[in-house]
Amino acid sequence: MQLGYELIREQLFFRKELIERLPWLIRLRWIAAGGGLAGCAAVYFFRQTLPPLPLVLVIFVVLMNNLLFKLIWQYVPPFKYQKDLPLTSSHVFNARDVQSFSFFAHVQISTDLLALFLAVYYSGGIYSPLVHFFIFHIILTGILLPPVSCYLYGILVFLVMGSLLLLQQWSVVPIYPIWFHNTLFSNESGLNEIIFRYFTLGTVILVTAFLVTTIKLSLRTKGRELLQLSKALDESNSKHTALYEMVKEMGLCSEPKALMDSATRQAARIMGVKACSIKLMDEQKRTLRFASTYGLSEDYTKSKDSIDIQKSPINRKIIEGSVCAIGKIEERDYFQYPEDIRKEGIASMICLPLRVDKMVLGVFCVYSDAEHFFTESNVQFFELMSDLTAHEIEKLKTQLNRNWFLQKSAHQLRSPMHTVISMLKVLKNGYLGPMNVRQEETVERCKKRMEMLDSLISDLLRLSISRANLSLDALRPVHAQRVLKSLSGLFETQAREKAVEIAFLIDDELPAIPATERLLDDLFSNLISNAIKYTQPGDRVTVSLARSEEDKIRIEVTDTGIGIPDEAFSHLFTEFFRAENAKLYTEAGSGLGLVIVKEILDQLKGTVTVKSRIGEGSTFTCHFPIR
Amino acid sequence: MEGVKDILIIDDDKDLVQSIRIILERCNYGVRVAYNGKQGYDKIEAKPPDLVILDVMMATDTEGFDLAYKLKQLPEYRNIPIIMATSFPQAMAEQGPEKFQHILGESWPVSHFIEKPIDPEELLSVIEKILTERKKEQ
């Protein structure tokens, strides 16, 4: 079925010339008929002996025919439907589609030849200059139709011309005089010249047919090679596109298991096989275990769950770097228990080391239910896929390790500090006996500085984790209004403690935006706590969340606080920067809050603008896209 | 006549344990201490306390949670109230609440969370509240 489709596709590829030439022939025929009429007029003008009426009639018939052809081309379904069809289309062609074009070409060429015969006959037979036009027809036939048709038309012309000459010689049909000759030519010219002209015409026609068909066959061979090459390129292109999609999907995974599941699923799909598996080596490099499988039964994976590398020569070889491509499971003594593999429906497989530089992580296999399924190019392509997968696994592991380190550092840094703050609180609250005023003040200062350090560490870690997580947290639809609402209580308390008025204007009908709750939580918290921090008691903070333009959501945090001096604007989003008036106003502040805001907006593909006047307040406006 | 309430502090930070001990002893609670989950469990087995103050991250990141789940599975210790002292809210803010879904399951093994650094008054009021509730239940 597939082969038949390919053959027809190829045939149609070569018929492309024919399909394009058919309307061209119709256009050309208008010109030829026009030329013929002009010729007749010229002949009439020079008062030649030609019979104008039959020639004009022939041309008229040609014109009528052409009109008919044009209508057929435009309105008869097979041509109408197919003439603009791209050959790369997946439309299933049938043999009739191809045949209808050939038939139409035959009809046109036959009627043209008939018309040309009549024209030749009425303009002097073998002496007519129009006999040269036969060559054009032979060339066209050679190009558009199979070689045998070209030769047959050549022989037909030869035979019909011969018959005409014989009939004229035997006076069965009248002889029409050649142009510019007032007398009948045959008796004067002699038989020898006629025979010479006739055979010259025949030779020219056959040689032309031979040349055209030979060149065409050679072009067709080249065309076939080109078609195969383009098919191979097409396949390779779609495979590489699929590989790109696979790597992209792996890049979005935040868990090694999810990444490997995506790899086995995609590998099986792209390679067009029934199953795929990833086995990873343990720390001691002694055993291999299935880390992810696709298309394998649970019984099979359980029976081979833990493979001792030393006892499995095939796996040992793969770990050492060999590619193992098995065309037929039973062919050689590859396996200890080939019956398990047969039972699973596996007939051939490729197994490769999952390797990053020289470090082997495990074994990557694809399994087919057909024997000798994998070609050499399959193996090479799978090697590429395996290398990319290994790199993605390693990259994710490194990222997770870095995250683990950051989280551990957070705990290690924070624990002693929290203990010190707790102890200071015990001291200050008099659990160890009363303190004098100066002692109490000093303990209070210590506590305050420790709390600032705590907040600096939090900001630093938040920023580092946010940067390290850049590609780990996949964005998904989140309702920003819900995140903001869950925070509003906390900030209302904070504002109340400082006697700052706060108002939340939240649009409940907002669509979800691609984000994570953590990012939005951080973004809103930083903006709002900043606003409260730099606003004096009695002043006001307004937070509004609404839809702005099409596909954008806007959060605007406005305060009537201390404002930002002009010279500070260009440094606002620089690490550890704090404006002079902010430093004077409060000690607390790491100078990282707005950097975090900017990082988050970069991840969400959002923007931030700031408007402020010193002493009057500031407005931070962020926009993020809905899609 | 009501006896002195027995509170067990389980935390690997000896200074913090000492601070909590000072606060609690000042308020006439009986205080026992343990510096890891295993020690803590042994002391619970020896004599179930009225309340446990438990740290989350000790030798492992979830040692405190592991012990809390273990206690909740045992009928004789199931009813001991647990206050978990943790930097958990901060960790949650940094890493995102999604990361804690596996811990924040259906059966929550802890009566109350208290944020580090520990505020003496907050700790005392939480203990008071939990013990009063327990008394009512009994």
Side-chain angles (χ1 to χ4, degrees):
Chain A
M1 183 72 192
Q2 186 65 22
L3 186 70
Y5 166 70
E6 285 297 326
L7 276 175
I8 290 170
R9 205 177 102 97
E10 186 186 301
Q11 212 178 347
L12 208 67
F13 175 78
F14 292 117
R15 293 295 152 118
K16 195 167 187 285
E17 183 72 24
L18 172 66
I19 295 165
E20 281 170 5
R21 288 298 164 203
L22 285 176
W24 176 77
L25 267 179
I26 295 172
R27 284 199 299 275
L28 200 66
R29 201 170 289 112
W30 295 124
I31 298 168
L37 280 176
C40 285
V43 167
Y44 186 74
F45 179 75
F46 287 108
R47 297 177 184 283
Q48 289 303 314
T49 51
L50 269 175
L53 190 64
L55 279 173
V56 171
L57 263 177
V58 168
I59 292 168
F60 178 73
V61 172
V62 168
L63 284 170
M64 285 300 109
N65 263 344
N66 210 31
L67 191 64
L68 186 67
F69 293 150
K70 191 173 165 58
L71 292 175
I72 289 174
W73 184 252
Q74 271 178 349
Y75 297 109
V76 174
F79 306 111
K80 194 181 159 195
Y81 174 61
Q82 302 251 346
K83 60 184 176 185
D84 298 324
L85 192 76
L87 286 163
T88 48
S89 156
S90 59
H91 169 71
V92 179
F93 303 111
N94 57 51
R96 270 185 57 194
D97 293 340
V98 179
Q99 277 171 5
S100 51
F101 288 104
S102 295
F103 181 71
F104 194 39
H106 276 296
V107 170
Q108 287 198 54
I109 288 168
S110 319
T111 49
D112 281 350
L113 274 176
L114 187 66
L116 186 58
F117 263 119
L118 290 173
V120 165
Y121 169 63
Y122 285 115
S123 60
I126 192 76
Y127 279 91
S128 166
L130 297 181
V131 290
H132 296 114
F133 287 81
F134 282 125
I135 294 165
F136 299 156
H137 278 83
I138 297 305
I139 293 173
L140 275 174
T141 317
I143 293 171
L144 300 181
L145 296 171
V148 65
S149 306
C150 179
Y151 283 111
L152 281 177
Y153 276 113
I155 291 165
L156 188 72
V157 169
F158 186 67
L159 291 179
V160 175
M161 275 308 286
S163 313
L164 178 71
L165 285 177
L166 281 177
L167 292 174
Q168 281 180 332
Q169 281 301 314
W170 295 332
S171 303
V172 181
V173 291
I175 299 166
Y176 285 91
I178 187 171
W179 296 357
F180 306 109
H181 286 249
N182 290 322
T183 50
L184 299 180
F185 66 91
S186 61
N187 292 338
E188 291 171 11
S189 308
L191 196 60
N192 286 346
E193 193 186 339
I194 293 172
I195 292 171
F196 179 75
R197 278 180 177 264
Y198 174 61
F199 279 102
T200 307
L201 176 70
T203 313
V204 168
I205 285 173
L206 289 177
V207 169
T208 307
F210 170 74
L211 288 176
V212 171
T213 51
T214 313
I215 292 169
K216 190 190 145 179
L217 279 177
S218 131
L219 284 176
R220 177 168 280 214
T221 313
K222 288 197 172 71
R224 189 170 289 124
E225 283 166 10
L226 214 64
L227 193 67
Q228 275 165 0
L229 193 69
S230 104
K231 212 179 115 206
L233 275 173
D234 224 29
E235 274 174 18
S236 155
N237 183 37
S238 51
K239 264 184 165 180
H240 282 92
T241 310
L243 186 63
Y244 166 74
E245 292 297 329
M246 173 180 172
V247 173
K248 213 165 85 178
E249 192 180 299
M250 286 195 286
L252 290 174
C253 296
S254 55
E255 297 286 332
K257 174 77 176 122
L259 188 153
M260 286 186 280
D261 285 348
S262 152
T264 48
R265 190 182 64 248
Q266 291 277 24
R269 188 182 64 84
I270 298 170
M271 300 290 290
V273 292
K274 66 165 272 163
C276 179
S277 76
I278 290 177
K279 283 173 268 184
L280 290 184
M281 254 195 310
D282 65 345
E283 296 272 315
Q284 289 77 36
K285 300 190 187 301
R286 282 195 195 137
T287 50
L288 278 171
R289 275 174 191 280
F290 280 114
S292 170
T293 59
Y294 176 83
L296 291 177
S297 72
E298 212 171 298
D299 289 347
Y300 181 81
T301 49
K302 267 188 189 160
S303 70
K304 305 212 177 301
D305 185 38
S306 176
I307 299 166
D308 188 334
I309 297 169
Q310 285 314 309
K311 286 183 189 162
S312 166
I314 193 161
N315 280 304
R316 200 171 61 229
K317 272 191 181 168
I318 298 166
I319 297 289
E320 282 163 6
S322 308
V323 174
C324 170
I326 300 167
K328 195 174 175 188
I329 297 298
E330 294 92 345
E331 219 165 48
R332 275 162 52 188
D333 292 337
Y334 288 113
F335 302 100
Q336 222 174 336
Y337 306 105
E339 59 275 14
D340 290 355
I341 299 168
R342 248 198 320 271
K343 205 172 129 200
E344 191 62 22
I346 298 167
S348 58
M349 61 162 83
I350 319 176
C351 288
L352 292 176
L354 267 174
R355 191 164 42 180
V356 180
D357 298 327
K358 283 183 180 165
M359 183 179 66
V360 177
L361 310 175
V363 177
F364 198 13
C365 299
V366 273
Y367 312 91
S368 170
D369 48 11
E371 286 173 5
H372 303 289
F373 179 79
F374 301 105
T375 61
E376 198 171 321
S377 73
N378 274 155
V379 177
Q380 282 170 359
F381 183 70
F382 188 51
E383 271 184 296
L384 177 65
M385 195 183 270
S386 162
D387 279 354
L388 288 169
T389 306
H391 272 96
E392 286 297 320
I393 294 174
E394 196 52 25
K395 198 173 90 188
L396 182 60
K397 275 188 178 169
T398 315
Q399 255 172 331
L400 290 173
N401 278 343
R402 198 188 303 148
N403 264 17
W404 175 87
F405 177 77
L406 283 170
Q407 281 159 23
K408 199 77 191 164
S409 320
H411 181 249
Q412 297 298 81
L413 280 168
R414 209 174 263 143
S415 282
M417 207 166 48
H418 284 170
T419 304
V420 172
I421 298 172
S422 303
M423 288 162 87
L424 288 171
K425 281 182 177 176
V426 169
L427 197 64
K428 185 177 168 278
N429 293 12
Y431 288 91
L432 292 169
M435 284 190 293
N436 65 35
V437 178
R438 288 195 61 195
Q439 283 170 334
E440 208 171 304
E441 269 175 17
T442 312
V443 170
E444 181 57 34
R445 288 293 305 150
C446 288
K447 194 169 110 342
K448 199 152 213 159
R449 295 304 297 260
M450 289 305 282
E451 280 166 354
M452 278 164 59
L453 189 59
D454 188 22
S455 118
L456 171 67
I457 288 173
S458 293
D459 280 353
L460 268 178
L461 286 164
R462 206 169 288 194
L463 197 60
S464 314
I465 286 172
S466 144
R467 283 178 181 173
N469 265 353
L470 213 60
S471 62
L472 273 187
D473 283 354
L475 304 185
R476 54 173 194 280
V478 177
H479 282 99
Q481 63 271 35
R482 289 191 198 148
V483 178
L484 185 58
K485 273 188 178 168
S486 70
L487 289 171
S488 59
L490 178 77
F491 288 109
E492 271 159 5
T493 315
Q494 232 179 65
R496 203 180 310 122
E497 280 169 6
K498 212 188 154 183
V500 168
E501 270 184 63
I502 190 161
F504 286 90
L505 311 168
I506 303 173
D507 180 350
D508 283 326
E509 304 295 315
L510 294 175
I513 54 166
T516 69
E517 280 163 19
R518 179 182 64 85
L519 289 176
L520 290 182
D521 189 303
D522 272 0
L523 175 72
F524 297 161
S525 300
N526 271 298
L527 288 172
I528 302 167
S529 62
N530 256 5
I532 297 173
K533 197 195 301 178
Y534 298 114
T535 300
Q536 283 111 332
D539 276 342
R540 187 179 170 80
V541 172
T542 311
V543 182
S544 82
L545 182 71
R547 194 166 180 153
S548 59
E549 311 140 30
E550 198 57 33
D551 295 338
K552 290 265 165 74
I553 281 185
R554 182 193 63 214
I555 175 149
E556 200 162 72
V557 181
T558 307
D559 63 61
T560 51
I562 61 168
I564 303 164
D566 287 346
E567 64 275 13
F569 268 86
S570 55
H571 307 291
L572 273 185
F573 298 98
T574 311
E575 284 93 339
F576 305 110
F577 174 80
R578 294 189 70 212
E580 288 306 318
N581 64 335
K583 282 192 214 165
L584 279 176
Y585 183 71
T586 172
E587 283 179 331
S590 62
L592 291 173
L594 287 179
V595 184
I596 294 172
V597 166
K598 183 76 178 50
E599 295 264 332
I600 293 170
L601 284 168
D602 285 347
Q603 284 191 55
L604 301 182
K605 302 199 168 32
T607 53
V608 57
T609 49
V610 189
K611 280 185 204 154
S612 182
R613 290 189 82 145
I614 192 119
E616 290 180 16
S618 315
T619 300
F620 284 79
T621 312
C622 305
H623 286 94
F624 14 72
I626 293 169
R627 281 176 204 95
Chain B
M1 174 75 193
E2 199 179 311
V4 175
K5 291 289 176 192
D6 175 32
I7 296 176
L8 176 65
I9 308 167
I10 309 173
D11 199 316
D12 59 348
D13 186 331
K14 291 185 180 171
D15 288 327
L16 189 73
V17 168
Q18 186 57 22
S19 302
I20 300 174
R21 182 199 274 268
I22 292 167
I23 300 166
L24 297 182
E25 284 181 344
R26 187 69 191 264
C27 295
N28 299 321
Y29 288 109
V31 178
R32 284 187 294 155
V33 298
Y35 299 113
N36 58 46
K38 167 91 178 55
Q39 246 180 43
Y41 185 73
D42 290 345
K43 296 213 167 171
I44 294 169
E45 257 193 332
K47 182 183 168 242
D50 294 302
L51 190 141
V52 175
I53 298 174
L54 184 60
D55 183 26
V56 180
M57 289 168 84
M58 290 184 273
T60 67
D61 288 356
T62 55
E63 192 172 331
F65 271 112
D66 296 342
L67 178 62
Y69 275 113
K70 190 174 167 185
L71 293 177
K72 289 294 152 190
Q73 276 162 10
L74 299 168
E76 60 269 46
Y77 308 129
R78 185 178 292 155
N79 293 325
I80 302 174
I82 299 172
I83 296 176
M84 207 150 230
T86 173
S87 313
F88 198 60
Q90 257 171 324
M92 222 158 168
E94 274 151 23
Q95 294 162 43
E98 311 91 50
K99 298 265 162 74
F100 292 87
Q101 279 306 323
H102 63 288
I103 304 174
L104 304 170
E106 294 283 310
S107 60
W108 199 222
V110 177
S111 317
H112 201 95
F113 280 101
I114 182 157
E115 202 176 335
K116 286 180 180 178
I118 288 175
D119 183 70
E121 277 68 41
E122 191 193 345
L123 177 68
L124 287 171
S125 84
V126 167
I127 293 174
E128 186 74 18
K129 196 176 140 216
I130 290 173
L131 290 178
T132 317
E133 270 171 21
R134 290 269 298 160
K135 199 174 158 191
K136 272 186 203 159
E137 281 167 23
Q138 280 165 4

